[in-house]
Amino acid sequence: MTEMAQAEAAALLAALRLQLDWGADEALEAAPIDRTQPRLAPPTLPEAPAGSGSQSRRLATAPGGGLRRAGGPPAAAETGATPLQQQAAALAAEADSLPALREAMARFDGSPLRETATNLVFADGVAESGLMFIGEAPGADEDRLGRPFVGVSGQLLDRMLASIGLSRERNFYITNILPFRPPGNRTPTDAEILLFLPFLLRHIALARPRHLVLLGGVAAKGLLRSKEGITRLRGRWHQVAVPEEAARPALATLHPAYLLRTPGAKRDAWSDLLLLRQRLAEEGG
Ligand code: URA
């Protein structure tokens, strides 16, 4: 190698090290993408056949990503929903089964998170169990394997739930607010949460859990649309509104990743689990 090539290689290595020091842990594109610019053609909304659509075809977006009955999709200005939120809500409403919903989410190209993630992380466990846990977003392990809560925090969660007799092979179902890993495990933004909310609400409507458990502040604030922090929301049953369905009782509790960082909080998490166990026992699971 010439002296100049050696100097260039050393400079490249130094630049790479600097990226690592800054916390970059993903290889992305060679050229930067300006994510502030719209990248997509105007969304094509699924058409309902005139006068003969199924019930789900007759649902359209409402502010906040919910659904409403309508003759056709209202203008974005009318609902306050962005075109991409409307597209997400229309795709979600079309899905009439969990596999169809998974497929609709894989097709939805309205979020840059899809570009940086390796896999769509849909759900794990027993969909018909009546008990659905909702976390924040996939981490590196989940992104690699395409399954939620398989890393260290998932393993802690599994151990905690086993202590009250619950296992994902038999009696619970688990998913996340976001189906794609945010780069570097950053916290999901409110815009990302709102964009994927119609898919999550449809997920709940299709899985029909009797009880929800919201793991951590992002899931709790996202689904309860609350500004309160998780320390105020946890340890209580709330109601999650599900479009076209009965509201679901939802227990907010601490996220297992937080418990790994703050072992002293495990006492609160344990008291939340006892509340869950008591309610499941009273209501027959
Ligand atoms: N944390 C989450 O919120 N979800 C996962 O799937 C993994 C870690």
Side-chain angles (χ1 to χ4, degrees):
M1 215 192 282
T2 63
E3 232 171 71
M4 195 149 115
Q6 271 177 355
E8 265 173 24
L12 277 174
L13 265 180
L16 257 182
R17 266 196 211 104
L18 187 63
Q19 299 272 341
L20 285 175
D21 289 346
W22 283 342
D25 62 354
E26 293 287 319
L28 302 178
E29 314 271 333
I33 298 171
D34 183 354
R35 309 245 187 237
T36 61
Q37 296 303 313
R39 298 178 311 123
L40 300 171
T44 343
L45 293 168
E47 291 284 326
S52 65
S54 67
Q55 173 171 310
S56 63
R57 280 178 184 275
R58 279 181 272 117
L59 303 172
T61 52
L67 305 170
R68 69 174 179 79
R69 283 188 189 287
E78 193 188 314
T79 62
T82 66
L84 282 176
Q85 285 170 355
Q86 290 194 44
Q87 185 190 13
L91 278 172
E94 281 278 299
D96 57 4
S97 67
L98 291 172
L101 181 67
R102 189 188 194 291
E103 205 263 318
M105 289 164 75
R107 255 189 304 135
F108 177 60
D109 61 1
S111 167
L113 292 180
R114 198 178 86 146
E115 316 302 326
T116 50
T118 307
N119 279 303
L120 167 82
V121 177
F122 185 67
D124 200 14
V126 184
E128 307 75 27
S129 62
L131 178 60
M132 185 168 180
F133 285 76
I134 299 169
E136 179 175 319
D141 294 319
E142 290 77 17
D143 181 45
R144 193 164 38 82
L145 298 173
R147 284 174 61 206
F149 283 98
V150 290
V152 276
S153 61
Q155 288 157 23
L156 172 63
L157 181 68
D158 282 349
R159 287 198 301 279
M160 287 165 48
L161 295 179
S163 72
I164 57 163
L166 298 175
S167 93
R168 71 169 93 179
E169 286 74 35
R170 288 195 313 277
N171 38 26
F172 70 87
Y173 188 54
I174 189 159
T175 188
N176 282 306
I177 283 260
L178 295 189
F180 295 113
R181 179 192 185 207
N185 291 348
R186 66 162 170 71
T187 304
T189 64
D190 212 39
E192 287 164 347
I193 293 171
L194 280 177
L195 187 59
F196 284 103
L197 200 55
F199 291 114
L200 180 61
L201 292 172
R202 189 79 188 129
H203 204 154
I204 297 170
L206 290 167
R208 306 189 65 93
R210 287 184 296 281
H211 302 97
L212 296 170
V213 179
L214 312 179
L215 298 166
V218 170
K221 288 199 268 184
L223 270 167
L224 301 173
R225 304 310 303 151
S226 166
K227 291 208 183 326
E228 286 193 302
I230 188 64
T231 45
R232 294 183 77 88
L233 293 171
R234 63 149 283 275
R236 283 188 286 139
W237 286 92
H238 306 263
Q239 294 286 323
V240 167
V242 184
E244 305 292 316
E245 291 269 327
R248 294 300 196 285
L251 179 67
T253 187
L254 301 170
H255 193 285
Y258 174 74
L259 299 178
L260 286 170
R261 294 192 302 271
T262 322
K266 283 186 183 155
R267 207 176 50 160
D268 286 340
W270 175 241
S271 93
D272 298 347
L273 285 188
L274 294 182
L275 268 184
L276 175 65
R277 184 172 71 177
Q278 183 190 358
R279 179 120 182 196
L280 295 179
E282 282 167 6
E283 297 181 12

Coordinates of all heavy atoms in Angstrom, one line a residue, residues 179-265:
P179 N -44.0 -1.4 14.7 CA -43.6 -2.7 14.2 C -42.1 -2.7 13.6 O -41.6 -3.8 13.3 CB -44.5 -3.0 13.0 CG -44.9 -1.6 12.5 CD -44.8 -0.7 13.7
F180 N -41.5 -1.5 13.6 CA -40.1 -1.5 13.0 C -39.2 -0.8 14.1 O -39.6 0.1 14.8 CB -40.1 -0.6 11.8 CG -40.9 -1.2 10.6 CD1 -42.0 -0.6 10.2 CD2 -40.4 -2.4 10.0 CE1 -42.7 -1.1 9.1 CE2 -41.1 -2.9 9.0 CZ -42.3 -2.3 8.5
R181 N -38.0 -1.3 14.1 CA -37.0 -0.7 15.1 C -36.6 0.7 14.7 O -36.1 0.9 13.6 CB -35.8 -1.6 15.0 CG -34.7 -1.1 16.0 CD -33.4 -1.8 15.8 NE -32.4 -1.4 16.8 CZ -31.1 -1.3 16.6 NH1 -30.6 -1.7 15.4 NH2 -30.3 -0.9 17.5
P182 N -36.7 1.6 15.6 CA -36.2 3.0 15.3 C -34.7 2.9 15.4 O -34.1 2.2 16.3 CB -36.7 3.8 16.5 CG -37.8 3.0 17.1 CD -37.5 1.6 16.9
P183 N -34.0 3.5 14.4 CA -32.5 3.4 14.4 C -31.9 3.8 15.7 O -32.3 4.7 16.4 CB -32.1 4.4 13.3 CG -33.3 4.7 12.5 CD -34.5 4.4 13.4
G184 N -30.9 2.9 16.1 CA -30.2 3.2 17.4 C -31.1 3.1 18.6 O -30.7 3.5 19.7
N185 N -32.3 2.4 18.5 CA -33.2 2.2 19.6 C -33.7 3.5 20.2 O -34.0 3.6 21.4 CB -32.6 1.4 20.7 CG -32.4 0.0 20.3 OD1 -32.9 -0.5 19.3 ND2 -31.6 -0.7 21.1
R186 N -33.8 4.6 19.4 CA -34.3 5.8 19.9 C -35.8 5.7 20.2 O -36.4 4.8 19.7 CB -34.0 7.0 19.0 CG -34.8 6.9 17.7 CD -34.8 8.2 16.9 NE -35.4 8.1 15.6 CZ -36.6 7.8 15.3 NH1 -37.5 7.6 16.3 NH2 -37.0 7.7 14.1
T187 N -36.2 6.6 21.1 CA -37.7 6.6 21.5 C -38.5 6.9 20.3 O -38.2 7.9 19.5 CB -37.9 7.6 22.6 OG1 -37.0 7.3 23.7 CG2 -39.3 7.6 23.1
P188 N -39.6 6.2 20.0 CA -40.5 6.6 18.9 C -41.0 8.0 19.1 O -41.3 8.4 20.2 CB -41.6 5.6 19.0 CG -41.1 4.4 19.8 CD -40.1 5.0 20.7
T189 N -41.2 8.7 17.9 CA -41.7 10.0 18.0 C -43.3 9.9 18.0 O -43.8 8.9 17.7 CB -41.4 10.8 16.7 OG1 -42.0 10.2 15.6 CG2 -39.9 10.9 16.6
D190 N -43.9 11.0 18.4 CA -45.4 11.0 18.5 C -46.0 10.8 17.1 O -47.0 10.1 16.9 CB -45.9 12.3 19.1 CG -47.2 12.0 19.8 OD1 -47.3 11.0 20.5 OD2 -48.1 12.8 19.7
A191 N -45.3 11.3 16.1 CA -45.8 11.2 14.7 C -45.7 9.7 14.3 O -46.6 9.2 13.6 CB -44.9 12.0 13.7
E192 N -44.6 9.0 14.6 CA -44.5 7.6 14.3 C -45.6 6.8 15.0 O -46.2 5.9 14.4 CB -43.1 7.1 14.7 CG -42.0 7.6 13.8 CD -40.6 7.4 14.4 OE1 -40.5 7.1 15.6 OE2 -39.6 7.6 13.6
I193 N -45.8 7.1 16.3 CA -46.9 6.4 17.0 C -48.2 6.6 16.4 O -49.0 5.7 16.2 CB -46.9 6.9 18.5 CG1 -45.6 6.5 19.2 CG2 -48.1 6.4 19.3 CD1 -45.3 7.1 20.5
L194 N -48.5 7.9 16.0 CA -49.9 8.2 15.4 C -50.0 7.5 14.0 O -51.1 7.0 13.7 CB -50.0 9.7 15.2 CG -50.4 10.4 16.5 CD1 -50.5 11.9 16.2 CD2 -51.8 9.9 17.0
L195 N -48.9 7.4 13.3 CA -48.9 6.8 12.0 C -49.3 5.3 12.1 O -50.0 4.8 11.3 CB -47.6 7.0 11.3 CG -47.5 6.5 9.8 CD1 -48.5 7.3 9.0 CD2 -46.1 6.7 9.3
F196 N -48.7 4.6 13.1 CA -48.9 3.2 13.2 C -50.1 2.8 14.1 O -50.5 1.6 14.2 CB -47.6 2.4 13.7 CG -46.6 2.3 12.6 CD1 -45.5 3.1 12.5 CD2 -46.8 1.4 11.6 CE1 -44.6 3.0 11.5 CE2 -45.8 1.2 10.5 CZ -44.7 2.1 10.5
L197 N -50.7 3.8 14.7 CA -51.8 3.6 15.7 C -53.0 2.8 15.0 O -53.5 1.9 15.6 CB -52.2 4.9 16.3 CG -53.0 4.7 17.6 CD1 -52.3 3.9 18.7 CD2 -53.4 6.1 18.2
P198 N -53.4 3.2 13.8 CA -54.5 2.5 13.2 C -54.2 1.0 13.0 O -55.1 0.1 13.2 CB -54.7 3.1 11.8 CG -54.0 4.4 11.9 CD -52.9 4.3 12.9
F199 N -53.0 0.6 12.7 CA -52.6 -0.8 12.6 C -52.8 -1.5 14.0 O -53.3 -2.6 14.1 CB -51.2 -1.0 12.1 CG -51.1 -0.6 10.6 CD1 -50.3 0.5 10.3 CD2 -51.7 -1.3 9.6 CE1 -50.1 0.9 8.9 CE2 -51.6 -0.9 8.3 CZ -50.8 0.2 7.9
L200 N -52.3 -0.8 15.0 CA -52.3 -1.4 16.3 C -53.8 -1.6 16.8 O -54.2 -2.6 17.4 CB -51.5 -0.6 17.3 CG -51.5 -1.1 18.8 CD1 -50.9 -2.5 18.8 CD2 -50.8 -0.1 19.7
L201 N -54.6 -0.5 16.6 CA -56.0 -0.6 17.0 C -56.7 -1.7 16.2 O -57.5 -2.5 16.8 CB -56.7 0.7 16.8 CG -56.2 1.8 17.7 CD1 -56.8 3.2 17.4 CD2 -56.5 1.5 19.2
R202 N -56.4 -1.9 15.0 CA -57.0 -3.0 14.2 C -56.5 -4.4 14.7 O -57.2 -5.3 14.8 CB -56.6 -2.8 12.7 CG -57.3 -3.8 11.8 CD -58.8 -3.3 11.5 NE -59.5 -4.3 10.8 CZ -60.7 -4.8 11.1 NH1 -61.3 -4.3 12.2 NH2 -61.3 -5.7 10.4
H203 N -55.2 -4.4 15.1 CA -54.6 -5.6 15.7 C -55.4 -6.0 16.9 O -55.7 -7.2 17.1 CB -53.1 -5.3 16.1 CG -52.2 -6.5 16.1 ND1 -50.9 -6.4 15.9 CD2 -52.5 -7.8 16.4 CE1 -50.4 -7.6 16.1 NE2 -51.3 -8.4 16.4
I204 N -55.7 -5.0 17.8 CA -56.5 -5.3 19.0 C -57.9 -5.8 18.6 O -58.4 -6.8 19.1 CB -56.6 -4.0 19.9 CG1 -55.2 -3.6 20.4 CG2 -57.5 -4.3 21.1 CD1 -55.1 -2.3 21.1
A205 N -58.5 -5.1 17.6 CA -59.9 -5.5 17.2 C -59.9 -6.9 16.7 O -60.8 -7.7 16.9 CB -60.4 -4.5 16.2
L206 N -58.8 -7.3 16.0 CA -58.8 -8.7 15.4 C -58.4 -9.7 16.4 O -59.0 -10.9 16.3 CB -57.8 -8.7 14.2 CG -58.3 -7.9 12.9 CD1 -57.1 -7.8 12.0 CD2 -59.5 -8.6 12.3
A207 N -57.5 -9.4 17.3 CA -57.1 -10.4 18.3 C -58.2 -10.5 19.4 O -58.3 -11.5 20.1 CB -55.8 -10.1 18.9
R208 N -59.0 -9.5 19.6 CA -60.1 -9.4 20.6 C -59.6 -9.8 22.0 O -60.3 -10.7 22.6 CB -61.2 -10.3 20.2 CG -61.7 -10.0 18.8 CD -63.0 -10.7 18.5 NE -64.1 -10.3 19.4 CZ -64.9 -9.3 19.0 NH1 -64.9 -8.7 17.9 NH2 -65.9 -9.0 19.9
P209 N -58.6 -9.2 22.6 CA -58.2 -9.6 23.9 C -59.2 -9.0 24.9 O -59.9 -8.0 24.7 CB -56.9 -8.8 24.1 CG -57.0 -7.7 23.2 CD -57.7 -8.2 22.0
R210 N -59.4 -9.7 26.0 CA -60.3 -9.2 27.1 C -59.5 -8.2 27.9 O -60.1 -7.3 28.5 CB -60.8 -10.4 28.0 CG -61.8 -11.2 27.3 CD -62.4 -12.3 28.2 NE -61.3 -13.2 28.6 CZ -60.9 -14.3 27.9 NH1 -61.4 -14.4 26.7 NH2 -60.0 -15.1 28.3
H211 N -58.2 -8.4 28.0 CA -57.4 -7.4 28.8 C -56.1 -7.0 28.1 O -55.6 -7.9 27.3 CB -56.9 -8.1 30.1 CG -58.1 -8.5 31.0 ND1 -58.5 -9.8 31.0 CD2 -58.9 -7.8 31.8 CE1 -59.6 -9.9 31.8 NE2 -59.8 -8.7 32.3
L212 N -55.7 -5.8 28.2 CA -54.5 -5.3 27.7 C -53.5 -5.0 28.8 O -53.9 -4.6 29.9 CB -54.7 -4.0 26.9 CG -55.6 -4.1 25.6 CD1 -55.9 -2.7 25.1 CD2 -54.9 -4.9 24.5
V213 N -52.2 -5.2 28.6 CA -51.2 -4.7 29.5 C -50.2 -3.8 28.7 O -49.7 -4.2 27.7 CB -50.4 -5.8 30.2 CG1 -49.4 -5.2 31.1 CG2 -51.4 -6.7 30.9
L214 N -50.1 -2.5 29.1 CA -49.3 -1.6 28.4 C -47.9 -1.4 29.1 O -47.9 -1.1 30.3 CB -50.0 -0.2 28.4 CG -51.5 -0.3 28.0 CD1 -52.1 1.1 28.0 CD2 -51.6 -0.9 26.6
L215 N -46.9 -1.8 28.4 CA -45.5 -1.9 29.0 C -44.8 -0.6 28.7 O -44.3 -0.4 27.6 CB -44.8 -3.1 28.4 CG -45.4 -4.5 28.6 CD1 -44.7 -5.5 27.7 CD2 -45.2 -4.9 30.1
G216 N -44.7 0.2 29.8 CA -43.9 1.4 29.7 C -44.6 2.6 29.2 O -45.8 2.6 28.7
G217 N -44.0 3.8 29.3 CA -44.6 5.1 29.0 C -45.0 5.3 27.6 O -46.0 5.9 27.3
V218 N -44.2 4.7 26.6 CA -44.6 5.0 25.2 C -45.9 4.3 24.9 O -46.8 4.8 24.3 CB -43.4 4.5 24.3 CG1 -43.8 4.5 22.8 CG2 -42.2 5.4 24.5
A219 N -46.0 3.0 25.3 CA -47.2 2.3 25.0 C -48.4 2.9 25.8 O -49.5 3.1 25.2 CB -47.1 0.8 25.4
A220 N -48.2 3.2 27.0 CA -49.3 3.8 27.9 C -49.8 5.1 27.3 O -51.0 5.3 27.1 CB -48.9 3.9 29.3
K221 N -48.8 6.0 27.1 CA -49.2 7.3 26.6 C -49.8 7.3 25.2 O -50.7 8.0 24.9 CB -48.0 8.3 26.7 CG -47.6 8.7 28.1 CD -46.8 9.9 28.2 CE -45.4 9.6 28.1 NZ -44.5 10.8 28.3
G222 N -49.2 6.4 24.4 CA -49.6 6.3 23.0 C -51.1 5.7 22.9 O -51.9 6.3 22.1
L223 N -51.4 4.7 23.7 CA -52.7 4.1 23.6 C -53.8 4.8 24.4 O -55.0 4.8 24.1 CB -52.7 2.7 23.9 CG -52.4 1.8 22.7 CD1 -52.0 0.4 23.2 CD2 -53.6 1.7 21.8
L224 N -53.3 5.4 25.5 CA -54.3 6.2 26.3 C -54.4 7.6 25.9 O -55.3 8.4 26.4 CB -53.9 6.1 27.8 CG -53.8 4.7 28.4 CD1 -53.2 4.7 29.8 CD2 -55.1 4.0 28.3
R225 N -53.5 8.0 24.9 CA -53.4 9.4 24.5 C -53.4 10.3 25.7 O -54.1 11.3 25.7 CB -54.6 9.8 23.5 CG -54.8 8.9 22.3 CD -53.5 8.6 21.5 NE -52.8 9.8 21.0 CZ -51.5 9.9 20.8 NH1 -50.7 8.8 21.1 NH2 -50.9 10.9 20.4
S226 N -52.5 10.0 26.6 CA -52.4 10.8 27.9 C -51.1 11.5 27.9 O -50.1 11.0 27.3 CB -52.5 9.8 29.0 OG -52.0 10.4 30.2
K227 N -51.0 12.6 28.6 CA -49.8 13.3 28.8 C -49.1 12.9 30.1 O -47.9 13.3 30.3 CB -50.0 14.8 28.7 CG -50.5 15.3 27.4 CD -50.1 16.8 27.2 CE -50.5 17.4 25.9 NZ -50.6 16.5 24.7
E228 N -49.8 12.1 30.9 CA -49.2 11.7 32.2 C -48.0 10.7 31.9 O -48.1 9.9 31.0 CB -50.2 11.1 33.0 CG -51.2 12.1 33.6 CD -52.0 11.5 34.7 OE1 -52.7 10.5 34.5 OE2 -52.0 12.0 35.9
G229 N -47.0 10.8 32.8 CA -45.9 9.8 32.7 C -46.3 8.5 33.3 O -47.3 8.3 33.9
I230 N -45.5 7.5 33.0 CA -45.8 6.1 33.4 C -45.8 5.9 34.9 O -46.6 5.1 35.4 CB -44.8 5.1 32.7 CG1 -45.3 3.6 33.0 CG2 -43.4 5.3 33.2 CD1 -46.5 3.2 32.3
T231 N -45.1 6.7 35.6 CA -45.1 6.6 37.1 C -46.5 6.9 37.6 O -46.9 6.4 38.7 CB -44.0 7.4 37.8 OG1 -44.0 8.7 37.2 CG2 -42.6 6.7 37.6
R232 N -47.2 7.8 36.9 CA -48.5 8.2 37.4 C -49.6 7.2 36.8 O -50.6 6.9 37.4 CB -48.9 9.6 37.0 CG -48.0 10.6 37.7 CD -48.5 12.0 37.3 NE -49.7 12.4 38.0 CZ -49.8 13.0 39.2 NH1 -48.6 13.3 39.8 NH2 -50.9 13.3 39.8
L233 N -49.3 6.7 35.6 CA -50.3 5.9 34.9 C -50.3 4.4 35.4 O -51.3 3.7 35.4 CB -50.1 5.9 33.4 CG -50.3 7.2 32.7 CD1 -49.8 7.1 31.2 CD2 -51.8 7.5 32.7
R234 N -49.1 4.0 35.9 CA -48.9 2.5 36.2 C -49.7 2.2 37.5 O -50.1 3.0 38.2 CB -47.4 2.2 36.5 CG -46.8 2.9 37.6 CD -45.7 2.0 38.2 NE -46.2 1.0 39.1 CZ -46.6 1.2 40.3 NH1 -46.4 2.3 40.9 NH2 -47.1 0.1 41.0
G235 N -50.0 0.8 37.6 CA -50.6 0.3 38.8 C -52.1 0.6 38.8 O -52.8 0.5 39.8
R236 N -52.7 1.0 37.6 CA -54.1 1.3 37.6 C -54.7 0.7 36.3 O -54.0 0.7 35.3 CB -54.4 2.8 37.5 CG -54.2 3.5 38.8 CD -54.7 5.0 38.7 NE -53.7 5.8 38.0 CZ -54.1 6.7 37.1 NH1 -55.4 6.9 36.8 NH2 -53.2 7.5 36.5
W237 N -55.9 0.4 36.3 CA -56.6 -0.1 35.1 C -57.2 1.1 34.4 O -57.8 2.0 35.0 CB -57.7 -1.1 35.4 CG -57.2 -2.4 35.7 CD1 -56.8 -2.9 37.0 CD2 -56.8 -3.5 34.8 NE1 -56.3 -4.1 36.9 CE2 -56.3 -4.5 35.6 CE3 -56.9 -3.6 33.5 CZ2 -55.8 -5.7 35.0 CZ3 -56.4 -4.8 32.9 CH2 -55.9 -5.8 33.7
H238 N -57.0 1.2 33.1 CA -57.6 2.3 32.3 C -58.5 1.6 31.2 O -58.6 0.4 31.2 CB -56.4 3.1 31.6 CG -55.4 3.6 32.5 ND1 -55.4 4.8 33.0 CD2 -54.3 2.9 33.1 CE1 -54.3 5.0 33.8 NE2 -53.7 3.9 33.8
Q239 N -59.0 2.4 30.3 CA -59.8 1.9 29.2 C -59.1 2.4 27.9 O -58.8 3.6 27.7 CB -61.2 2.5 29.2 CG -62.0 2.0 30.4 CD -62.5 0.6 30.2 OE1 -62.8 0.1 29.2 NE2 -62.5 -0.1 31.4
V240 N -58.9 1.4 27.0 CA -58.4 1.8 25.7 C -59.5 1.8 24.7 O -60.2 0.7 24.5 CB -57.3 0.8 25.2 CG1 -57.0 1.0 23.7 CG2 -56.0 1.1 26.0
A241 N -59.8 2.9 24.0 CA -60.9 3.0 23.1 C -60.5 2.3 21.8 O -59.4 2.5 21.2 CB -61.2 4.4 22.8
V242 N -61.3 1.3 21.3 CA -61.0 0.6 20.1 C -62.1 0.9 19.1 O -63.3 0.6 19.4 CB -60.9 -0.9 20.3 CG1 -60.4 -1.7 19.1 CG2 -59.9 -1.2 21.5
P243 N -61.8 1.5 17.9 CA -62.9 1.9 17.0 C -63.8 0.7 16.7 O -63.3 -0.4 16.4 CB -62.1 2.3 15.7 CG -60.8 2.8 16.3 CD -60.5 1.9 17.4
E244 N -65.1 0.9 16.7 CA -66.1 0.0 16.3 C -66.2 -1.2 17.3 O -66.8 -2.3 16.9 CB -65.9 -0.6 14.9 CG -65.8 0.5 13.8 CD -67.1 1.2 13.6 OE1 -68.1 0.5 13.5 OE2 -67.1 2.4 13.5
E245 N -65.5 -1.1 18.4 CA -65.5 -2.3 19.4 C -65.7 -1.7 20.8 O -65.6 -0.5 21.0 CB -64.0 -2.8 19.4 CG -63.6 -3.6 18.1 CD -64.0 -5.0 18.2 OE1 -63.9 -5.6 19.3 OE2 -64.3 -5.6 17.1
A246 N -65.9 -2.6 21.7 CA -66.0 -2.2 23.1 C -64.6 -1.8 23.5 O -63.6 -2.3 23.1 CB -66.5 -3.3 24.0
A247 N -64.5 -0.8 24.4 CA -63.2 -0.4 25.0 C -62.6 -1.5 25.7 O -63.4 -2.4 26.3 CB -63.4 0.9 25.9
R248 N -61.3 -1.6 25.8 CA -60.7 -2.7 26.5 C -60.0 -2.2 27.8 O -59.3 -1.2 27.8 CB -59.6 -3.4 25.7 CG -60.1 -4.0 24.4 CD -61.0 -5.2 24.8 NE -61.3 -6.1 23.7 CZ -62.0 -5.9 22.7 NH1 -62.7 -4.8 22.5 NH2 -62.2 -6.9 21.8
P249 N -60.2 -3.0 28.9 CA -59.5 -2.6 30.1 C -58.0 -2.8 29.9 O -57.6 -3.8 29.4 CB -60.0 -3.6 31.2 CG -60.7 -4.6 30.5 CD -61.0 -4.2 29.1
A250 N -57.2 -1.8 30.4 CA -55.7 -1.9 30.1 C -55.0 -1.5 31.4 O -55.2 -0.4 31.9 CB -55.4 -0.9 29.0
L251 N -54.1 -2.4 31.8 CA -53.2 -2.1 32.9 C -51.9 -1.5 32.4 O -51.3 -2.1 31.6 CB -53.0 -3.4 33.7 CG -52.1 -3.3 34.9 CD1 -52.7 -2.5 36.0 CD2 -51.7 -4.7 35.5
A252 N -51.6 -0.4 33.0 CA -50.3 0.2 32.6 C -49.2 -0.2 33.7 O -49.5 -0.2 34.9 CB -50.4 1.7 32.6
T253 N -48.1 -0.6 33.2 CA -47.0 -1.0 34.1 C -45.6 -0.6 33.5 O -45.5 0.0 32.4 CB -47.0 -2.5 34.4 OG1 -46.1 -2.8 35.4 CG2 -46.7 -3.3 33.2
L254 N -44.6 -0.8 34.3 CA -43.2 -0.4 33.9 C -42.7 -1.3 32.8 O -43.0 -2.5 32.7 CB -42.3 -0.4 35.1 CG -42.8 0.5 36.3 CD1 -42.0 0.3 37.5 CD2 -42.7 2.0 35.8
H255 N -41.9 -0.7 31.9 CA -41.3 -1.5 30.9 C -40.1 -2.3 31.4 O -39.3 -1.9 32.3 CB -40.7 -0.5 29.8 CG -40.4 -1.2 28.5 ND1 -39.2 -2.0 28.4 CD2 -41.0 -1.3 27.3 CE1 -39.2 -2.5 27.1 NE2 -40.3 -2.1 26.5
P256 N -40.0 -3.6 31.0 CA -38.9 -4.4 31.5 C -37.5 -3.8 31.3 O -36.6 -4.1 32.1 CB -39.0 -5.8 30.8 CG -40.0 -5.5 29.7 CD -40.8 -4.4 30.1
A257 N -37.3 -3.1 30.2 CA -36.0 -2.5 30.0 C -35.7 -1.5 31.1 O -34.5 -1.3 31.5 CB -35.9 -1.8 28.6
Y258 N -36.7 -0.8 31.6 CA -36.5 0.2 32.7 C -36.2 -0.6 33.9 O -35.3 -0.2 34.7 CB -37.8 1.0 32.8 CG -37.8 1.9 34.0 CD1 -37.1 3.1 34.1 CD2 -38.6 1.6 35.2 CE1 -37.1 3.9 35.2 CE2 -38.6 2.4 36.3 CZ -37.8 3.6 36.3 OH -37.8 4.4 37.4
L259 N -36.8 -1.7 34.1 CA -36.5 -2.5 35.3 C -35.1 -3.1 35.3 O -34.5 -3.2 36.4 CB -37.5 -3.7 35.4 CG -39.0 -3.4 35.5 CD1 -39.8 -4.6 35.6 CD2 -39.2 -2.5 36.8
L260 N -34.6 -3.3 34.1 CA -33.2 -3.8 34.1 C -32.2 -2.6 34.5 O -31.2 -2.9 35.1 CB -32.8 -4.2 32.6 CG -33.4 -5.6 32.2 CD1 -33.2 -5.8 30.7 CD2 -32.7 -6.7 33.0
R261 N -32.6 -1.4 34.1 CA -31.8 -0.2 34.5 C -32.0 0.2 35.9 O -31.2 0.8 36.5 CB -32.1 1.0 33.6 CG -31.7 0.8 32.1 CD -31.8 2.1 31.4 NE -33.1 2.7 31.4 CZ -34.1 2.5 30.6 NH1 -33.9 1.7 29.6 NH2 -35.2 3.2 30.7
T262 N -33.2 -0.1 36.4 CA -33.6 0.4 37.8 C -34.2 -0.7 38.6 O -35.4 -0.8 38.8 CB -34.7 1.5 37.6 OG1 -34.4 2.3 36.4 CG2 -34.8 2.4 38.8
P263 N -33.3 -1.6 39.1 CA -33.8 -2.8 39.8 C -34.7 -2.5 41.0 O -35.7 -3.2 41.3 CB -32.6 -3.5 40.3 CG -31.5 -3.0 39.4 CD -31.8 -1.6 39.0
G264 N -34.5 -1.3 41.6 CA -35.4 -0.9 42.7 C -36.8 -0.7 42.3 O -37.7 -0.8 43.2
A265 N -37.1 -0.6 41.0 CA -38.5 -0.4 40.6 C -39.2 -1.8 40.4 O -40.5 -1.8 40.2 CB -38.6 0.3 39.3

